[in-house]
Amino acid sequence: MIITLIILFLSAVFFMSGKVRSDLVALCALVLLIIFQILTPEEALTGFSNSVVIMMIGLFVVGGAIFQTGLAKMISSRILKFAGTNELKLFILIILVTAGIGAFVSNTGTVALMLPIVVSMAMSSNINVSRLLMPLAFASSMGGMMTLIGTPPNLVIQNALVEAGYKPLTFFSFTPVGLVSIVVGLAVLIPLSKIFLTKKTDKNTRKQKNKSLHELAGEYQISKNLWRVQVDPGSPFVGKTIQETGISKYSITILEVRRKTPNSRRFFKTTMSQEMAGASTLVQEEDILYVLGEFTVVQELVQENKLHLLDSHTPEGASQMNGEDELQFQDIGIAEILIMPDSRLVNQQVKESGFRQKFGVNILGVQRKRQYLLSELKNEKMYSGDVLLVQGSWENIARLTDDQSDLVVLGQPLTEAAKVTLNHKAPVAALIMLAMVVSMMFDFIPIAPVTAVMVAALLMVLTGCLRNVEAAYKTINWESIVLIAAMLPMSLALEKTGASDYVSQSLVNSLGAYGPYALLAGIYFTTSLMTMFISNTATAVLLAPIALHASIQLGLSPYPFLFAVTVGASMCFASPFSTPPNALVMPAGRYTFMDYIKVGLPLQVIMGIVMIFVLPLLFPF
């Protein structure tokens, strides 16, 4: 028992210092428990197969898909309409919405759903995201106190009461307690988050940030010279490749070909496929060609080849162009590349460069000494220091980095590609998310929460809400996963060695003689303290029978004491690994262990003091 407590103490010290990564500290503690034979290797590794850990992995993927499809931005824009740009209104609205969802969905699921939405809102309203994410995690736990299914400790005390022969709690027996916790949480978090959670942004980083795709397009005036041309029936272009159409005699460039997909359905927001134009691309009826060039030349092309120049308001299939002709970057992107002094491309004409043949990219423009060359590019020679704007698939643009001797890709194309949202998949992501939430809300649906999350994560990948499996893996924060998985067996070690039973029993028994309020305070803060180091569910399981027996021995109602257990276990904010939501927001908010101490510990103490006086009013002794 002594060794276990020493390992636990040392872990807490290292967590608070922040000098060693939290997941490394947790793994070291886990290994020490094995070395000292407190846990067997099988017991020590149970955390990595725990349903909570598996659920967290799935929820990371679901949250990433919600962000990647633009669904987060759509939802956040709706919420922002209510809050405007007022930071306080937005803060309160996030707390209330999160708590409302948390009443019916697990706090882990709530945070995973809200995390990308809140990040998107913070970016849109220019608010520091670190001020919002920790309160988001805390609000999910407060919302869990609103209903019977909101958090596992609620079900633990329900089970304890039923087994002891007491009247079971109803679905909304917890609601008054949840409302009080939300009010207290708002009152405490508004000032504390303002003082401690407003992280300073790095001004140098802002100055050095990469140009966005739309900034690049604007810089090279692509939108001003980009025209959409539709191939009408009877056009000589129909059935020919772009090379066979004789397009080369015009001083224009065909960038993309878009056409209706054969399996188009109204359910999706777009029915148009996007394909980069190449010499061998076959032109079909009703294809839409994205043409770059002077308007007079484009007019000549249209008139001579029975084509139709589309105005900016004509929709493509089921999608609108938002009132302007512009490139979309789902599959095809743009990037700048710099010609090196010793490059073989120096003094070569663009048409001889072989960019299309070797890398599968088109050259759209040349920047030379702050001047932009945008027309008659094929005969233009390239010189050292020229910056070329190229267009191609994201994979082909990334391949340009392999040829460092000739050129340097400016910025990070794959990073920019990851920022492009797959808006046409937003309805699919919304349906999957809704189905997951509903299956987790209602007990009559015979699907375990972890199963619902795993199925949802898998569907997000299979339906294309994430670009590929690699993108799904990148959404997972493995530091948080390892942290939780490695710390979960600590509760088993404390239970096996008798440390949990000894500490809790001693505290409760010593306070029982001082009256019901002292006993209630002892149960509450013992639960609260233990939850900082082991899971809230494990703590509730350990302390629920102790609280029940202590209240019965004193001839008091067990209800307020059992509620003290569930509230103390759920309202644990002073540690990043006490609850999965706290761990989920840690990397995104760039929090340290001390941030949780500064904000979470005062909230945890104040919440406890308030509950000691409120619980007897709601559930008399």
Side-chain angles (χ1 to χ4, degrees):
M1 182 171 72
I2 301 298
I3 295 174
T4 304
L5 293 176
I6 290 173
I7 295 172
L8 184 59
F9 174 76
L10 290 175
S11 300
V13 170
F14 279 105
F15 279 131
M16 287 186 282
S17 70
K19 294 181 179 179
V20 183
R21 279 177 52 129
S22 56
D23 55 340
L24 188 58
V25 173
L27 283 173
C28 288
L30 189 65
V31 170
L32 286 173
L33 290 174
I34 298 174
I35 291 174
F36 286 101
Q37 297 184 344
I38 296 167
L39 294 177
T40 65
E42 291 77 15
E43 290 172 335
L45 296 175
T46 54
F48 289 90
S49 61
N50 189 283
S51 61
V52 171
V53 174
I54 304 301
M55 189 182 294
M56 283 181 66
I57 293 173
L59 289 171
F60 271 122
V61 175
V62 172
I66 292 170
F67 200 91
Q68 186 63 64
T69 57
L71 183 61
K73 191 171 183 179
M74 296 175 196
I75 298 173
S76 66
S77 63
R78 297 290 179 89
I79 297 177
L80 276 173
K81 286 183 181 179
F82 294 99
T85 56
N86 187 295
E87 186 172 345
L88 179 60
K89 284 184 180 178
L90 182 61
F91 185 92
I92 294 173
L93 195 60
I94 288 172
I95 295 291
L96 295 179
V97 170
T98 304
I101 297 172
F104 302 97
V105 180
S106 71
N107 53 8
T108 308
T110 301
V111 170
L113 293 175
M114 288 296 293
L115 181 61
I117 296 170
V118 171
V119 170
S120 180
M121 281 193 289
M123 292 169 62
S124 301
S125 53
N126 199 27
I127 294 174
N128 198 317
V129 72
S130 60
R131 193 192 172 192
L132 302 175
L133 292 184
M134 191 183 291
L136 167 73
F138 296 168
S140 70
S141 296
M142 297 172 199
M145 289 306 306
M146 296 280 286
T147 63
L148 177 64
I149 64 169
T151 183
N154 292 0
L155 297 171
V156 171
I157 69 164
Q158 166 80 319
N159 184 62
L161 285 168
V162 172
E163 287 186 352
Y166 287 88
K167 184 180 177 182
L169 299 165
T170 65
F171 189 84
F172 292 107
S173 293
F174 298 82
T175 304
V177 180
L179 291 174
V180 171
S181 65
I182 293 169
V183 171
V184 174
L186 275 172
V188 176
L189 286 173
I190 288 172
L192 288 183
S193 62
K194 185 73 173 178
I195 298 169
F196 296 114
L197 296 183
T198 306
K199 305 282 185 182
K200 293 182 180 179
T201 54
D202 189 349
K203 293 182 180 179
N204 294 327
T205 302
R206 282 190 175 184
K207 289 180 181 178
Q208 297 172 1
K209 75 179 183 72
N210 298 327
K211 298 173 186 176
S212 72
L213 299 174
H214 290 289
E215 284 173 345
L216 272 181
E219 185 179 329
Y220 285 83
Q221 300 181 356
I222 290 179
S223 58
K224 291 183 179 180
N225 296 291
L226 183 67
W227 312 95
R228 292 186 302 152
V229 174
Q230 187 168 29
V231 180
D232 290 337
S235 170
F237 278 21
V238 176
K240 294 181 179 179
T241 63
I242 288 180
Q243 186 175 18
E244 293 170 344
T245 60
I247 200 82
S248 56
K249 69 179 181 181
Y250 302 94
S251 298
I252 61 172
T253 303
I254 298 181
L255 303 183
E256 296 179 13
V257 177
R258 299 190 191 178
R259 62 173 60 107
K260 291 182 180 180
T261 55
N263 294 321
S264 60
R265 288 176 289 180
R266 291 185 178 182
F267 173 75
F268 296 101
K269 285 193 172 183
T270 179
T271 59
M272 306 298 293
S273 64
Q274 182 185 24
E275 180 183 348
M276 185 174 166
S280 60
T281 301
L282 193 66
V283 180
Q284 300 176 10
E285 284 186 14
E286 298 186 358
D287 278 359
I288 296 175
L289 310 179
Y290 274 62
V291 179
L292 189 65
E294 296 290 337
F295 179 65
T296 53
V297 180
V298 175
Q299 274 190 316
E300 183 183 348
L301 170 74
V302 168
Q303 291 169 0
E304 293 179 0
N305 296 280
K306 294 184 180 179
L307 304 175
H308 178 56
L309 183 64
L310 299 176
D311 62 14
S312 60
H313 301 291
T314 304
E316 300 174 13
S319 69
Q320 298 289 339
M321 290 294 293
N322 297 323
E324 59 179 342
D325 295 327
E326 60 179 22
L327 289 173
Q328 294 182 1
F329 303 107
Q330 278 90 0
D331 304 310
I332 299 172
I334 56 176
E336 286 182 310
I337 60 173
L338 175 67
I339 303 296
M340 300 297 287
D342 56 349
S343 171
R344 61 175 178 77
L345 298 171
V346 173
N347 292 324
Q348 274 195 13
Q349 289 182 322
V350 168
K351 64 182 179 182
E352 298 171 350
S353 64
F355 270 92
R356 176 70 198 176
Q357 292 77 17
K358 185 176 180 181
F359 296 107
V361 299
N362 292 326
I363 298 176
L364 305 185
V366 179
Q367 182 188 153
R368 179 179 300 152
K369 296 179 181 179
R370 297 187 179 181
Q371 292 185 337
Y372 295 89
L373 308 177
L374 304 172
S375 59
E376 299 290 347
L377 288 179
K378 61 184 179 179
N379 297 318
E380 189 68 42
K381 285 189 176 182
M382 296 176 288
Y383 299 102
S384 171
D386 280 359
V387 176
L388 312 181
L389 181 70
V390 299
Q391 178 211 33
S393 68
W394 290 112
E395 291 79 8
N396 286 340
I397 291 175
R399 282 201 303 122
L400 291 170
T401 58
D402 298 336
D403 199 355
Q404 295 287 351
S405 60
D406 283 339
L407 49 91
V408 174
V409 178
L410 304 180
Q412 297 175 305
L414 292 181
T415 302
E416 291 301 317
K419 296 177 184 177
V420 178
T421 55
L422 308 172
N423 293 336
H424 61 292
K425 292 292 183 179
V428 182
L431 276 179
I432 295 171
M433 182 187 74
L434 183 62
M436 183 189 77
V437 171
V438 169
S439 66
M440 294 170 73
M441 278 178 61
F442 299 108
D443 290 336
F444 64 83
I445 299 177
I447 301 176
V450 65
T451 306
V453 172
M454 289 174 65
V455 170
L458 190 60
L459 286 175
M460 289 294 189
V461 177
L462 294 176
T463 57
C465 294
L466 289 159
R467 294 182 185 279
N468 46 47
V469 177
E470 288 74 18
Y473 282 124
K474 286 179 181 178
T475 64
I476 302 168
N477 186 277
W478 294 106
E479 182 179 352
S480 298
I481 296 299
V482 173
L483 170 65
I484 294 295
M487 286 305 296
L488 281 173
M490 181 64 75
S491 61
L492 179 60
L494 291 171
E495 188 177 357
K496 278 185 70 175
T497 57
S500 298
D501 188 54
Y502 174 78
V503 173
S504 58
Q505 193 90 39
S506 299
L507 285 172
V508 172
N509 289 342
S510 62
L511 293 171
Y514 294 97
Y517 279 97
L519 178 60
L520 188 67
I523 290 173
Y524 188 98
F525 285 109
T526 299
T527 307
S528 185
L529 179 64
M530 290 180 64
T531 308
M532 289 178 63
F533 304 103
I534 61 177
S535 73
N536 58 355
T537 306
T539 303
V541 170
L542 289 171
L543 285 176
I546 295 172
L548 182 68
H549 295 148
S551 61
I552 292 173
Q553 287 175 6
L554 294 177
L556 301 172
S557 169
Y559 288 92
F561 298 97
L562 285 172
F563 265 91
V565 170
T566 189
V567 177
S570 301
M571 303 293 108
C572 188
F573 310 122
S575 166
F577 55 82
S578 57
T579 61
N582 292 2
L584 275 172
V585 301
M586 191 178 184
R590 295 181 292 117
Y591 300 125
T592 64
F593 192 96
M594 286 307 298
D595 288 328
Y596 287 87
I597 297 293
K598 291 174 184 176
V599 178
L601 185 58
L603 175 59
Q604 192 167 325
V605 172
I606 293 170
M607 187 75 74
I609 294 171
V610 171
M611 287 298 172
I612 289 168
F613 293 100
V614 168
L615 288 177
L617 296 177
L618 298 173
F619 308 96
F621 293 124

